[in-house]
Amino acid sequence: MSVPGATPVRRFRLRRPRVAAAWRQPLAVIGLSLAAAWILVAIFAPLLAPSDPLEQNAAPLLPPGGDYLFGTDELGRDVLSRVLYGARISIPLALLLVGLALLVGATLGAVAGYFGGFVDSIVMRSADLVFAFPAIILAMVVTAVLGPSIRNAVLALVIVSWPSYARVVRGLVLSIGQTEYVTATRLLGASARRALVRDVLPNVAGPVLVLATLDLGNAILLLSALSFLGLGAQPPQPEWGAGVAEGIQYFQFWWIGTFPGLAIFSVVLAFNFLGDSLRDVLDPQSSWRAGSEEE
Amino acid sequence: MSLLEVEELRVRIRGERGEVTIVDGVDYTVEEGQVFGVAGESGSGKTISVLALLQLLPRGASTSGRAIYGGRDLLRLSGRALRRVRGRELAMVFQDPLTSLHPMLTIGRQLSEHVRVHEGASKRAALARAAELLAEVRIPDPERALHAFPHQFSGGMRQRVAIAGALATRPKLLIADEPTTALDVTVQAGILRLLDRLRRESGLAVILITHDLGVMSSIADHVSIFYAGRIVESGPTKELLSTPRHPYTRALLDALPHPVDDGRADLLAIPGLPPSPRSRPAGCAFHPRCAYAIDASRVQAPPLVTVGAARLLACHVDPFASPS
Amino acid sequence: MARGRSLGALIPGRSRTRPPRPFLRFLARRFVALLFLGLGITLVAFLLTNLAPGDPAAANLGQRAIEDPAAVASFRERYGLDKSLPEQYGIYVWRLAHGDLGESQQARLPVTEELGTFIPATAELALLSILIAVVVGVGLGILAAIRQNRLTDHVLRVVSLTGVSMPTFWLALVALYIFFFRLNWLPGTGRLDPQFSEPEHRTGFFTIDALLQGEWATAGDAARHLVLPALVLALYNIGLLTRYTRAAVLEVVHNDYIRAARAKGISERRIVLRHVLRAALPSVLTVIGLAFANVMTGAVLVENIFAWPGIGQYAYRSATTLDLPAIMGVSLFVAVVYIVVNFAVDVLYGVIDPRIRVS
């Protein structure tokens, strides 16, 4: 005998992603500008760089300042030019690597979540196996086995990165698959594939986009770590991780390693700022601002 | 002098879309040993108005007005003085006993911590007291229950434990926010009997919030009806429920299924929805749903005025005024 | 509930001393699953290293020996490379079951023996680093949560993101340059300065071993050598723990039972430390489990830079020389760490959360 209209059940307010909200966040703006700046650097490196990154045309080990803003390395190459050209290696490769990992992981995850059963256990047990190894150790073994090269480093990192996408997508597919509208679509006679493509995939796009943006940072970190270990980019490529490794060799000449490292740091920071802000907008449950709104 | 006097209580909450007034000027008094009922639909501000008394509002809320208890204004307390009032003099029981007890701490620990914080008792003495409290709220085998965790009890038992916790330091006033809503009807009756007994035995005053007028009629001495952040009518329970004067109270009562009805009669639901705090109508907030509204209702909010012995009403029209 | 809802049936005695069956069964299931995972890992490690196009003989024999067919053949026979793959795997697992990981091709020593010397060095570094990360990260996470949406919180968000964006190897370089090369406050590489001799092996942790033997100077030197690499390794995990602790605390703070604790007049400090943290612990624990994996990743880089004679350096050396038994040994060790950490996390869940323990 309770009062009608007095619903004790809490009402859920459907929250639509508010993209505009991202602009009110300084982190998003900083991240986006920094990332955009680096992408422009990658595109226009030949115009921006004062000299050829491979050319040994200056005195070696010149400190920063004067004609060489970031100094020169042990072979007399311009560190600034090498850093600028480095963007042409790390950024496109990170995009490629994340794209491939996303494609492989999301496909496997969606298939596993949708069909379940045997397919599901095969995919998820493989993911567990990959998770059991720290990324770099597995990647290190794979590149060592395939032979050290930047291409193999990318391949190795795709192998270690797909499972997180598979897990997320599988989880989302499972939860969305049980919601009424998907069930309703299927009852209306839509085919399984149609339901997957039309109803399920658009709903997983947000969280996956967040994951991918944050993963771009990780990809650059791991890729440069492999190059740092000598398992990725090979000399004389102006790769950043390899640059830091040179810096360790010529330890006293701090500028050789510091600037490429700073480049890695700033790019990764940009993607992490961006991904974290995106998470606020697209994936409020796990965001930094989670719980900030109370009724 | 009354136990608690609330005057002109207003609560505003700052949200993403500006400030919203949830409670819009509320006055009432609670006497010792009285069960003071607060009724209204969800969103009427009844919960917020009592959370304000203990300063338990979410961040971003601001309060104005006064709430005089024992010569002090509860809304202005802070630090140690606030903590002494909370739990020691005023206690609170929440709606859902499944979430109002810490899931990972034993019952004994949760009850004894409360006793120890306020009375500085030894661990052993506090545990003994906790066992007494459990016995008092009729938990079977209290000694054993001390070592149990909340999830090992049913909802009704958990609500008893929560009440035991609230009563640990013999408060003078208990605020119970929908204490029976989440429970089965039979369990409900047990909890209400328990509250009634405590009131009779120890002179405990209770502010009972519920949207359930049935619960209200069985235990409350006095009822205030909340609508859109204000009190629209209040008075002694029996009188108010038998001769409601406000159209809203009337509609609430009409909407109750009649006990002797065979269920064929249609429920007289109130047309429309209660207004959201973000968009309360001007004038009397009930006017869009009210069949008796006049021009004045749309323009000016009616003041809460005395309309009889201990009866207050806020209505320009007063369509159900007794002819006498 | 077949026996009805009597309270006695619902309370399984003193659950702390005698954990009821369901949790044990859960643990047993998890353990078996993890064992299978371990077996899977041996297969992956085996296949990875054996399907390699690279030739271990070429990688490990000198230029002259590689041109001598007899030398190559004897190398292959010695490491079982002349047998079929399933046979090799069978032999590998069989030996593994007997605690035999084979002999490394580089040093010609049993892999178990090599692991035995490298593991303590990494363990000392990694455990210290995780300890630092947990203390700092959890502390900052709580701070961010209780200062939610205020300046401190915003600053900590940037700090946390900076932590996870910093390339470990670069941080190591910068730290070495500043604190060793420029300021000379801390030693650069290795576990001990040359004038100290290694303390007698008890735990393999130099600091502890030296203390046990009363060699204060050695212990101090070992501790000073630990500072930089441990801090560098900790930074990423500090960022991670700050973020997840904050989220976990916020999730708990909005619960009714915290509001109820507040309504009882319990002090804010006590609420955070006793009530909130307790409820947030399972989530934090999960991230601490993750921190172990991150520390292994970091160790490969940091150990190489700081010349720290541990598993990370060993893994790197084995991978670049295609030393198959050594690579498999490292993989297995890493996988065992993963399994043990995960299992420990599961057990701790049950200890912390009574709902898991009984249901």
Side-chain angles (χ1 to χ4, degrees):
Chain A
M1 42 189 270
S2 58
V3 179
T7 41
V9 182
R10 189 175 300 162
R11 275 172 302 153
F12 285 97
R13 190 154 47 96
L14 209 64
R15 219 190 286 214
R16 274 202 290 145
R18 279 163 293 151
V19 178
W23 297 103
R24 280 195 270 124
Q25 296 180 46
L27 283 194
V29 176
I30 296 171
L32 199 62
S33 345
L34 205 56
W38 271 116
I39 289 170
L40 289 178
V41 165
I43 295 171
F44 297 110
L47 299 175
L48 295 168
S51 55
D52 188 306
L54 304 179
E55 209 178 324
Q56 306 173 13
N57 53 358
L61 303 171
L62 287 177
D67 287 343
Y68 302 97
L69 202 59
F70 286 2
T72 60
D73 69 6
E74 75 281 5
L75 296 172
R77 297 175 297 195
D78 177 31
V79 174
L80 173 62
S81 303
R82 288 181 71 78
V83 167
L84 295 177
Y85 269 91
R88 308 195 107 190
I89 300 175
S90 297
I91 293 174
L93 284 181
L95 288 168
L96 175 74
L97 150 54
V98 169
L100 284 176
L102 192 154
L103 198 69
V104 174
T107 309
L108 288 176
V111 167
Y114 202 82
F115 294 103
F118 183 67
V119 183
D120 188 27
S121 25
I122 290 288
V123 172
M124 292 333 282
R125 291 301 81 74
S126 318
D128 286 346
L129 268 180
V130 175
F131 269 118
F133 292 98
I136 203 151
I137 291 193
L138 190 55
M140 203 166 70
V141 173
V142 172
T143 30
V145 159
L146 297 176
S149 79
I150 192 86
R151 197 198 62 195
N152 290 343
V154 170
L155 202 67
L157 290 177
V158 171
I159 293 175
V160 303
S161 346
W162 69 268
S164 42
Y165 296 97
R167 276 195 182 175
V168 169
V169 170
R170 174 180 175 271
L172 289 167
V173 167
L174 280 182
S175 63
I176 293 167
Q178 281 157 1
T179 55
E180 280 169 24
Y181 68 87
V182 171
T183 321
T185 320
R186 295 205 65 179
L187 284 177
L188 288 173
S191 73
R193 216 191 60 185
R194 213 178 127 87
L196 193 67
V197 173
R198 287 248 336 241
D199 301 321
V200 178
L201 284 186
N203 281 288
V204 303
V208 169
L209 185 64
V210 171
L211 188 64
T213 314
L214 291 170
D215 215 29
L216 272 176
N218 264 329
I220 289 177
L221 280 181
L222 283 172
L223 205 56
S224 56
L226 284 179
S227 295
F228 171 81
L229 291 171
L231 295 167
Q234 298 298 311
Q237 281 182 294
E239 204 275 343
W240 293 333
V244 179
E246 272 172 56
I248 298 234
Q249 302 278 316
Y250 295 87
F251 184 64
Q252 309 88 304
F253 310 100
W254 58 270
W255 55 90
I256 301 180
T258 302
F259 291 115
L262 213 52
I264 304 172
F265 173 52
S266 62
V267 174
V268 176
L269 195 67
F271 286 128
N272 279 342
F273 275 3
L274 203 57
D276 207 50
S277 314
L278 269 181
R279 175 152 47 187
D280 284 350
V281 182
L282 296 177
D283 189 11
Q285 266 119 47
S286 59
S287 88
W288 182 270
R289 293 161 79 92
S292 64
E293 247 190 299
E294 286 179 283
E295 293 285 327
Chain B
M1 201 181 116
S2 307
L3 185 65
L4 173 72
E5 290 179 25
V6 176
E7 291 166 28
E8 277 296 297
L9 177 67
R10 275 196 173 73
V11 179
R12 292 186 189 82
I13 294 185
R14 213 172 47 243
E16 278 198 1
R17 275 171 280 171
E19 216 173 42
V20 175
T21 303
I22 308 282
V23 179
D24 194 11
V26 160
D27 303 74
Y28 59 87
T29 55
V30 180
E31 310 296 336
E32 244 168 85
Q34 184 184 41
V35 174
F36 183 85
V38 173
E41 291 165 290
S42 52
S44 61
K46 54 193 195 309
T47 297
I48 294 289
S49 74
V50 292
L51 287 180
L53 299 180
L54 286 175
Q55 297 188 25
L56 289 174
L57 293 171
R59 199 178 282 163
S62 61
T63 318
S64 69
R66 299 199 301 162
I68 307 298
Y69 174 91
R72 287 163 302 174
D73 186 353
L74 294 178
L75 308 181
R76 305 276 171 275
L77 293 179
S78 63
R80 187 176 289 269
L82 175 65
R83 287 207 305 275
R84 277 179 62 88
V85 166
R86 279 179 179 175
R88 188 171 187 135
E89 315 229 350
L90 271 68
M92 182 143 186
V93 174
F94 294 84
Q95 173 171 354
D96 187 354
L98 302 186
T99 59
S100 62
L101 294 170
H102 198 297
M104 301 180 199
L105 301 176
T106 59
I107 302 292
R109 188 142 164 222
Q110 298 190 48
L111 295 187
S112 63
E113 178 182 34
H114 190 189
V115 175
R116 292 179 68 190
V117 163
H118 284 289
E119 293 172 359
S122 74
K123 200 168 193 170
R124 180 183 293 268
L127 275 173
R129 175 98 180 89
E132 275 172 39
L133 286 163
L134 290 175
E136 199 172 330
V137 296
R138 307 280 194 266
I139 297 276
D141 201 353
E143 288 293 337
R144 200 164 181 194
L146 288 180
H147 299 288
F149 292 94
H151 71 272
Q152 291 165 302
F153 293 91
S154 66
M157 284 294 164
R158 280 194 231 186
Q159 195 61 296
R160 281 169 188 268
V161 171
I163 292 172
L167 299 175
T169 45
R170 293 277 168 248
K172 297 200 182 69
L173 174 62
L174 177 71
I175 298 169
D177 182 10
E178 305 262 12
T180 59
T181 306
L183 306 175
D184 290 346
V185 179
T186 46
V187 183
Q188 258 186 25
I191 297 289
L192 292 177
R193 271 199 305 276
L194 171 66
L195 286 177
D196 196 42
R197 178 166 61 82
L198 291 168
R199 175 260 295 264
R200 275 185 283 107
E201 285 173 5
S202 53
L204 177 75
V206 180
I207 296 181
L208 177 72
I209 300 176
T210 177
H211 65 273
D212 188 333
L213 293 180
V215 167
M216 204 59 96
S217 69
S218 71
I219 179 170
D221 303 309
H222 184 98
V223 175
S224 286
I225 308 286
F226 270 57
Y227 188 81
R230 289 167 185 249
I231 295 177
V232 293
E233 182 170 16
S234 77
T237 310
K238 273 214 186 74
E239 217 185 306
L240 186 130
L241 295 184
S242 57
T243 57
R245 301 265 297 256
H246 197 284
Y248 176 63
T249 316
R250 186 94 183 186
L252 282 181
L253 284 165
D254 284 347
L256 287 178
H258 199 273
V260 291
D261 236 7
D262 54 4
R264 270 182 304 158
D266 286 337
L267 289 181
L268 285 167
I270 309 171
L273 287 168
S276 122
R278 287 179 214 284
S279 56
R280 282 184 182 149
C284 172
F286 188 60
H287 82 254
R289 302 168 77 186
C290 182
Y292 305 93
I294 55 174
D295 286 346
S297 311
R298 295 181 186 90
V299 182
Q300 200 187 5
L304 190 65
V305 294
T306 308
V307 291
R311 297 242 357 215
L312 297 167
L313 176 70
C315 181
H316 289 305
V317 186
D318 194 7
F320 306 110
S322 40
S324 57
Chain C
M1 187 95 354
R3 279 191 288 161
R5 293 170 70 100
S6 89
L7 200 64
L10 288 172
I11 302 173
R14 294 281 198 103
S15 34
R16 217 167 278 257
T17 47
R18 193 162 45 86
R21 282 256 231 32
F23 181 55
L24 285 184
R25 222 180 297 138
F26 161 75
L27 283 185
R29 257 207 318 278
R30 285 287 295 158
F31 190 70
V32 171
L34 287 170
L35 277 186
F36 271 104
L37 184 66
L39 202 65
I41 286 162
T42 62
L43 189 63
V44 169
F46 179 81
L47 287 179
L48 260 181
T49 46
N50 280 278
L51 295 176
D55 183 357
N60 285 281
L61 291 175
Q63 194 57 50
R64 295 250 312 272
I66 198 81
E67 281 157 17
D68 176 5
V72 173
S74 83
F75 179 87
R76 288 179 184 280
E77 201 191 319
R78 186 188 168 107
Y79 293 101
L81 298 174
D82 52 343
K83 298 204 174 59
S84 74
L85 272 185
E87 263 183 290
Q88 285 188 42
Y89 180 64
I91 293 168
Y92 171 66
V93 172
W94 175 254
R95 285 190 179 155
L96 198 64
H98 293 80
D100 179 4
L101 289 170
E103 195 176 81
S104 78
Q105 292 160 358
Q106 280 281 300
R108 302 278 155 95
L109 286 169
V111 172
T112 41
E113 192 179 302
E114 292 196 309
L115 287 175
T117 59
F118 295 132
I119 287 172
T122 300
E124 187 175 28
L125 177 60
L127 291 177
L128 177 65
S129 147
I130 286 177
L131 185 71
I132 295 170
V134 169
V135 170
V136 178
V138 171
L140 291 181
I142 294 173
L143 187 66
I146 53 186
R147 304 243 131 224
Q148 192 195 359
N149 291 339
R150 299 192 210 167
L151 185 65
T152 321
D153 186 28
H154 296 309
V155 170
L156 284 176
R157 181 181 190 176
V158 173
V159 168
S160 144
L161 285 171
T162 304
V164 296
S165 303
M166 195 89 79
T168 310
F169 50 92
W170 177 64
L171 185 66
L173 172 69
V174 173
L176 268 177
Y177 184 82
I178 296 174
F179 295 104
F180 165 64
F181 184 70
R182 281 276 151 187
L183 303 172
N184 202 19
W185 287 356
L186 290 162
T189 54
R191 296 180 78 185
L192 280 178
D193 278 349
Q195 71 263 34
F196 296 101
S197 54
E198 285 188 17
E200 193 189 317
H201 185 97
R202 297 228 181 123
T203 60
F205 288 23
F206 281 4
T207 46
I208 293 176
D209 286 351
L211 283 178
L212 287 176
Q213 281 142 49
E215 294 165 16
W216 312 115
T218 311
D221 190 59
R224 275 159 30 87
H225 274 84
L226 272 167
V227 175
L228 275 188
L231 284 176
V232 167
L233 262 183
L235 193 73
Y236 186 91
N237 282 330
I238 288 176
L240 203 69
L241 275 159
T242 301
R243 155 168 221 117
Y244 283 98
T245 304
R246 176 187 181 275
V249 166
L250 283 183
E251 206 165 290
V252 172
V253 165
H254 294 111
N255 271 314
D256 258 1
Y257 56 84
I258 298 303
R259 189 173 268 179
R262 225 167 252 149
K264 286 180 183 177
I266 295 168
S267 70
E268 208 55 28
R269 186 191 162 83
R270 204 181 162 93
I271 287 176
V272 169
L273 293 180
R274 300 283 175 89
H275 297 236
V276 175
L277 203 54
R278 177 67 188 253
L281 215 50
S283 317
V284 174
L285 209 60
T286 311
V287 186
I288 294 177
L290 224 91
F292 274 87
N294 295 330
V295 143
M296 289 306 300
T297 294
V300 173
L301 300 161
V302 168
E303 287 184 3
N304 272 297
I305 298 165
F306 285 90
W308 195 267
I311 287 293
Q313 225 186 14
Y314 183 58
Y316 171 69
R317 221 171 35 232
S318 320
T320 46
T321 55
L322 270 188
D323 187 339
L324 299 187
I327 292 173
M328 288 197 278
V330 171
S331 310
L332 217 62
F333 165 72
V334 167
V336 166
V337 169
Y338 177 87
I339 289 171
V340 168
V341 167
N342 271 280
F343 192 66
V345 168
D346 283 339
V347 172
L348 286 175
Y349 279 159
V351 171
I352 293 169
D353 192 340
R355 288 168 298 183
I356 295 177
R357 195 154 68 228
V358 290
S359 60

